[in-house]
Amino acid sequence: MNLCFLGSSVTLGATSLETSFAEYIAVRNNCTYVKEAVSGTTLADNDKTSYIQRMVHNIDPNAQFDAFICQLSTNDASSAIPLGEISSSRNLEDFDTKTVLGALEYIIVYADTTWHCPVVFYTGTQYDSPAYGKMVEQLLKLQEKYEIGVIDLWNDAEMNQVSEEDYKLYMFDGIHPTQAGYLNWWTPKMEAYLYDYLGQ
């Protein structure tokens, strides 16, 4: 399989020597992959480093991917990017990409029409951010509209029952996993979802 990962610091592995679930999934499952990840970047299309700009300009439109996997960025929440509204349209030109939801819809439709592969988003695990919680809620509504995959670590009961001791081992801070966190906590959950969703 050939996978494409789009994201920011969590996808990059900013607090784990730039090794994230992307590398672990690839090695453990004999996959090839593209990882387009830059720390501090947003879904909302506000500058040349946004998810949308990097997706359009840095990822080969002629590549053959078996899945396109995108991070629901925490940076939009911390930067107070407007959430926006889910559009009644499915056309790229109709989405307000300066908002979180407009950007998400743009990414979904662009990825689907460019690479013709399953589109999957993943959320972070829970941390103190009501704004991010609202983003997760709306992502699940987009799942209904577009039938995308969502690896919902935010609402995962098993993930949220981790012991305080393990949490300290697994997370550098409330957002970023350590290498142990990626390998032992996030990757198995993401692998299981992808195996099921992609029918592997």
Side-chain angles (χ1 to χ4, degrees), residues 4-14 20-22 25 35-38 43 51 68-75 104 107 119-125 132 135-136 139-140 143 148-155 159 171 175-177 182 186-187 189-191 193-194:
C4 182
F5 297 96
L6 176 66
S8 43
S9 57
V10 176
T11 301
L12 178 65
S20 73
F21 54 80
I25 289 173
K35 184 169 83 169
E36 174 54 51
V38 176
L43 296 156
Y51 279 42
F68 179 89
I69 301 161
C70 184
Q71 176 187 346
L72 185 69
S73 180
T74 57
N75 297 313
L104 286 172
I107 290 167
V119 176
V120 180
F121 281 80
Y122 78 91
T123 77
T125 48
Y132 191 75
M135 287 173 56
V136 175
L139 177 64
L140 296 174
Q143 182 180 32
I148 57 172
V150 176
I151 305 172
D152 184 4
L153 304 181
W154 182 268
N155 291 307
M159 296 290 284
M171 296 296 286
I175 294 172
H176 302 93
Y182 283 115
W186 284 42
T187 296
K189 185 70 68 169
M190 298 180 80
E191 275 180 340
Y193 184 94
L194 291 171

Side-chain angles (χ1 to χ4, degrees), residues 70-131:
C70 184
Q71 176 187 346
L72 185 69
S73 180
T74 57
N75 297 313
D76 293 75
S78 59
S79 299
I81 301 294
L83 187 59
E85 297 180 353
I86 295 175
S87 173
S88 59
S89 173
R90 291 174 179 253
N91 299 320
L92 289 176
E93 60 270 18
D94 294 333
F95 303 137
D96 181 1
T97 58
K98 302 299 184 184
T99 69
V100 174
L101 287 170
L104 286 172
E105 292 201 76
Y106 190 100
I107 290 167
I108 292 166
V109 172
Y110 181 92
D112 177 61
T113 57
T114 301
W115 296 294
H116 308 288
C117 67
V119 176
V120 180
F121 281 80
Y122 78 91
T123 77
T125 48
Q126 287 209 6
Y127 71 106
D128 184 18
S129 176

